[in-house]
Amino acid sequence: MARFRSDGRSAHPAPPPGTKCDNCETELAGHFCHACGQEASDHHKSIFHVTWEAIEGMFHFDGRLWRTLPWLFFRPGTLSREYLDGKRARHVPPFRLFLVSLLLFILSAEVVIHKAMHDAQHKPGAGGGHAAEAPHGEAKGAAAAHGPARTDEHGKAAPPNINNSVRAIPGEVTNDIQQQMKEGGLLSDGVDANGKRTFIDLGDVEPTERAKMQWFNTQLNKVVDTPGYFVAVVFGWGHRLAVFLLPILALSLGACYFYRRKFYMYDHLIVSMNYLSFIFLLWAAVMILPAPVRDFGILVALLWAPANLFMTLRGVYASNVFGALLKTTIVWFSAQLAFVFLLAGLLWLGLSQI
């Protein structure tokens, strides 16, 4: 696992003088052949070594990962500055780190959301496993205790109450949010003539907007009926739209430092890749934290993210404290605004394709 030292050199001893490359028979002057690039190493390896090489081949991190990650979290400005100055052998390439960090973030989010869906579906009273496992007599008695089953004007069984239905949606909606949406006229407990839930009240909607609201009601009913498919569609588009954060952040940095002629868009992209890698890894770690400490982890992440951006701008662009604070505020809010728009677009794509 220590294939490379912290300065990028190999930790294994160099081959003896006069050793020839096994591939092109050129005399070696180090660990790698200067003619064909093949490494001079013994390929008779243990199972552990082969397993590690398989992981390394997939992510291509080798020993540089253990130097890059601490710097990414605690010395982000120095990390990007060294890469831009040409000291690249000792660090994981930014684009590779960005892609793998995004992958880990998506995997963590999928685990958390699927767990939330499972818990919501098996919660007592939510139509899940506990209710299904109850004895027939007890279930019947519980139903009788809550009164007769609801029916619509056509005598058909009405859909379950909106409170129970909404809880089946990934990212469980709390009662307080539901109440606020109802008070604002955005959420309804009613059903239409076909027995479908009416999430959005159409009572005071203008005729020109009624078709759009009816479309939303139809699609939201599909989400409640098939939440797993909705999650699959959203995550299918999620990793694609997340890549758009990279040019948006780079353009924000370019706008803030347009007067620095020595920095080009390439430099801003490198800084953006490293910062977004930090963000993805940070929130991936927060999402898999145990429930008792997750709230504390979220608070730390919310404070650490802008602080890391501030250290990045100070280290890379050599901004003074006031200038770095001002530009951190501009870049941070522009990134948050872009994230909100991308999230809205992601949800719209999920609703339109379900």
Side-chain angles (χ1 to χ4, degrees):
M1 295 175 67
R3 180 178 173 183
F4 285 85
R5 301 180 193 273
S6 60
D7 59 0
R9 295 179 299 168
S10 176
H12 301 308
T19 303
K20 293 186 177 181
C21 173
D22 294 333
N23 182 53
C24 64
E25 298 188 356
T26 301
E27 186 171 336
L28 297 173
H31 294 86
F32 294 88
C33 175
H34 65 275
C36 68
Q38 178 170 292
E39 182 182 9
S41 63
D42 181 12
H43 295 281
H44 298 284
K45 303 168 184 176
S46 65
I47 293 297
F48 176 80
H49 199 153
V50 171
T51 303
W52 175 250
E53 281 198 345
I55 298 173
E56 177 190 338
M58 182 179 299
F59 296 104
H60 210 278
F61 278 155
D62 51 58
R64 295 173 292 179
L65 177 65
W66 315 117
R67 178 183 178 92
T68 302
L69 282 184
W71 284 34
L72 185 69
F73 279 78
F74 301 105
R75 301 178 63 187
T78 306
L79 173 64
S80 298
R81 183 70 266 164
E82 282 204 349
Y83 192 87
L84 294 177
D85 288 341
K87 301 176 181 179
R88 302 175 181 178
R90 65 185 69 178
H91 298 299
V92 178
F95 189 62
R96 186 179 302 143
L97 183 62
F98 170 77
L99 292 179
V100 176
S101 301
L102 176 58
L103 174 63
L104 293 176
F105 173 79
I106 292 175
L107 292 176
S108 300
E110 284 186 346
V111 170
V112 171
I113 289 181
H114 281 294
K115 182 179 184 302
M117 289 175 56
H118 179 273
D119 293 343
Q121 292 170 354
H122 292 78
K123 185 182 298 181
H130 294 290
E133 294 170 2
H136 178 70
E138 293 181 10
K140 186 175 181 180
H146 289 83
R150 294 194 307 152
T151 58
D152 61 16
E153 58 187 7
H154 300 285
K156 298 179 181 179
N161 186 279
I162 188 69
N163 291 333
N164 291 334
S165 300
V166 173
R167 287 194 182 98
I169 300 176
E172 180 179 359
V173 181
T174 64
N175 291 330
D176 291 339
I177 296 178
Q178 292 178 47
Q179 188 61 34
Q180 292 174 8
M181 294 175 70
K182 289 180 182 179
E183 292 174 356
L186 297 176
L187 195 62
S188 170
D189 267 331
V191 294
D192 60 17
N194 298 321
K196 294 292 186 180
R197 289 169 288 264
T198 55
F199 288 85
I200 303 175
D201 191 0
L202 303 179
D204 299 328
V205 177
E206 297 180 1
T208 55
E209 299 293 326
R210 183 173 292 270
K212 297 179 182 178
M213 298 300 100
Q214 289 176 341
W215 179 84
F216 272 108
N217 277 328
T218 300
Q219 300 306 108
L220 288 173
N221 272 284
K222 293 179 181 179
V223 170
V224 172
D225 293 336
T226 57
Y229 180 63
F230 176 74
V231 170
V233 172
V234 167
F235 273 96
W237 282 98
H239 65 279
R240 305 173 193 173
L241 294 184
V243 178
F244 281 102
L245 289 172
L246 182 58
I248 291 173
L249 185 58
L251 289 172
S252 299
L253 291 172
C256 288
Y257 291 98
F258 69 94
Y259 56 90
R260 297 285 188 89
R261 299 299 182 183
K262 67 177 182 178
F263 290 104
Y264 297 91
M265 189 53 62
Y266 169 82
D267 304 314
H268 301 315
L269 282 171
I270 295 298
V271 176
S272 302
M273 288 177 197
N274 282 336
Y275 180 68
L276 288 176
S277 298
F278 159 76
I279 291 294
F280 290 142
L281 290 175
L282 177 65
W283 284 105
V286 169
M287 284 189 293
I288 62 176
L289 286 175
V293 297
R294 189 174 301 149
D295 291 342
F296 177 74
I298 292 174
L299 177 61
V300 171
L302 291 175
L303 295 175
W304 198 351
N308 187 279
L309 180 59
F310 172 79
M311 291 188 291
T312 298
L313 300 187
R314 286 273 290 165
V316 176
Y317 302 100
S319 299
N320 57 43
V321 175
F322 176 77
L325 283 174
L326 177 61
K327 293 177 176 64
T328 297
T329 303
I330 295 173
V331 174
W332 178 254
F333 279 104
S334 62
Q336 297 305 307
L337 186 62
F339 176 76
V340 169
F341 276 107
L342 288 176
L343 183 60
L346 179 61
L347 294 177
W348 180 83
L349 284 171
L351 286 175
S352 63
Q353 294 194 4
I354 191 172

